Amino acid sequence: MRKIAVLTSGGDAPGMNAAIRAAVRTALYNGLEVVGVRRGFAGLIEGDFFLMETGSVSDIMQKGGTFLLSARCDEFLEPEGRKKAAEQLRKHSIEGLIVIGGDGSLRGAESLYREQGIPYISVPGTIDNDLPGTDYTIGFDTAMNTILEAINKIRDTATSHERTFIIETMGRSSGFLTVMAGLASGADAVLIPEKKAEIEDVCQTLMERQKQGRLHNIILVAEGYEGNFRTNRDLNESNAFAIGKEIASRTGQDTRVIILGHLQRGGSPTAMDRILASKLGARAVELLMEGKTSRMVGLKGNAIQDSSVEDILKKKKEIDLDIYKLNKILSI
Ligand code: F6P
């Protein structure tokens, strides 16, 4: 392998820059040429490449987002788009790819390999932490800390006004961020797609807390949660608003709704994310150099390991329901 390319794709995550830096510098250290691809798979199709040197990745480690830019690319979902991408790579004599992103990025890179034979190694970068094959994805720790900071602030005003707050956290199909943030923030209820919780139960908990003289309530809701709130839902609004309305009408509590949204995706990466990203980015390049392909690097326990992307895409990362239960016990 003489020349490789690095790209970031899908939703950005804090720590992606540290992963790019590690991949680029490991490649240069080993005598490879490295090309940066702008805007993920869209940039592959367009041939939006630039040669990277060690200075190209200076001063980016502490920054959130991805300096290579990211995009969700519809054209790449089609075989024709992937063919164009492979042609660009061959034209520039690029022999392998490092793909940093979430499940959609893995799927795209795997299709490119199967149809066009372009070897790749993927690095898990998403705040959702919804990828099997790694205990943590890059960006999860920073997002957790951002959520906790927001909840701390909301708690201040919630207490002053004796209010119930519904706080929506990201996670289209996974409640991982929500359940962990619930435990770390001491939330009073946590609603996640993986666990059915009925509105009646949540309201009962809130009424009991009111009797105990609790001044405020924090309820975390994962973006992808539907539960039995759906019937009252206006499809144009976030589920959190429907939940808020329902709780207010059933309990009479003064209720407010906050959608944390993309705030959770920004910010300077934590030490944990920078270290994880540096280790995974470096290992990804080593694997490409060893002639491997279709693997995702990840952290299992304390060890950096790699697993087959095909297997990862077949599975769903199971949420630790003991944490959900522990949160219930601790919030009585
Ligand atoms: O995949 C990460 C994620 O943050 C999800 O939790 C969220 O649903 C989605 O991205 C939002 O994506 P976009 O920025 O494209 O709206």
Side-chain angles (χ1 to χ4, degrees), residues 3 45-47 49 84-94 118:
K3 191 172 181 183
I45 293 173
E46 288 154 19
F49 304 154
K84 281 189 203 163
E87 280 162 6
Q88 290 285 8
L89 289 167
R90 289 190 195 104
K91 190 168 116 193
H92 290 85
S93 313
I94 295 166
I118 307 286

Side-chain angles (χ1 to χ4, degrees), residues 11 72 126-128 170-172 223 262 265:
R72 302 201 191 267
T126 163
I127 66 163
D128 292 349
M170 270 190 169
R172 235 180 325 211
E223 181 185 15
H262 288 78
R265 289 232 300 251

Side-chain angles (χ1 to χ4, degrees), residues 108-329:
E110 181 66 14
S111 304
L112 184 67
Y113 171 68
R114 282 169 181 270
E115 293 163 18
Q116 302 292 334
I118 307 286
Y120 78 95
I121 300 291
S122 67
V123 178
T126 163
I127 66 163
D128 292 349
N129 200 22
D130 57 352
L131 288 171
T134 187
D135 294 343
Y136 297 105
T137 54
I138 298 165
F140 171 71
D141 188 60
T142 309
M144 277 283 294
N145 283 291
T146 304
I147 295 170
L148 293 183
E149 205 186 321
I151 296 175
N152 291 345
K153 289 179 177 165
I154 292 166
R155 249 184 213 287
D156 292 342
T157 176
T159 312
S160 309
H161 292 269
E162 300 179 61
R163 279 176 173 154
T164 291
F165 271 81
I166 317 294
I167 305 174
E168 187 190 274
T169 44
M170 270 190 169
R172 235 180 325 211
S173 51
S174 160
F176 216 98
L177 259 181
T178 315
V179 84
M180 299 298 254
L183 185 65
S185 68
D188 305 302
V190 167
L191 301 171
I192 51 172
E194 294 84 350
K195 192 87 189 153
K196 205 166 170 351
E198 308 294 349
I199 185 117
E200 294 78 15
D201 300 339
V202 177
C203 290
Q204 201 184 330
T205 308
L206 295 179
M207 302 298 273
E208 276 162 21
R209 288 175 55 80
Q210 200 169 6
K211 272 194 229 139
Q212 292 163 5
R214 305 287 181 106
L215 291 182
H216 70 277
N217 299 295
I218 300 290
I219 300 173
L220 298 192
V221 187
E223 181 185 15
Y225 177 79
E226 293 197 332
N228 67 337
F229 302 91
R230 189 158 207 193
T231 42
N232 304 317
R233 185 178 178 191
D234 171 347
L235 288 175
N236 291 318
E237 60 181 28
S238 159
N239 216 7
F241 288 109
I243 295 169
K245 269 187 210 158
E246 194 70 22
I247 286 177
S249 78
R250 283 177 183 247
T251 65
Q253 292 180 357
D254 193 8
T255 304
R256 294 288 185 276
V257 177
I258 306 254
I259 312 289
L260 294 182
H262 288 78
L263 193 96
Q264 298 160 93
R265 289 232 300 251
S268 178
T270 57
M272 290 291 283
D273 272 331
R274 294 183 201 195
I275 291 166
L276 179 65
S278 301
K279 287 183 178 175
L280 297 186
R283 183 67 191 133
V285 172
E286 287 170 6
L287 287 170
L288 259 190
M289 286 167 47
E290 286 166 19
K292 304 262 171 58
T293 181
S294 303
R295 311 284 298 170
M296 186 191 85
V297 286
L299 183 74
K300 285 280 188 181
N302 277 326
I304 300 298
Q305 293 183 2
D306 53 278
S307 6
S308 141
V309 169
E310 202 187 346
D311 290 347
I312 291 172
L313 291 175
K314 277 188 207 143
K315 294 183 202 148
K316 180 168 165 49
K317 189 175 194 164
E318 293 300 329
I319 224 154
D320 184 350
L321 287 176
D322 286 346
I323 294 180
Y324 180 84
K325 195 172 153 204
L326 179 60
N327 193 45
K328 272 198 147 177
I329 295 170

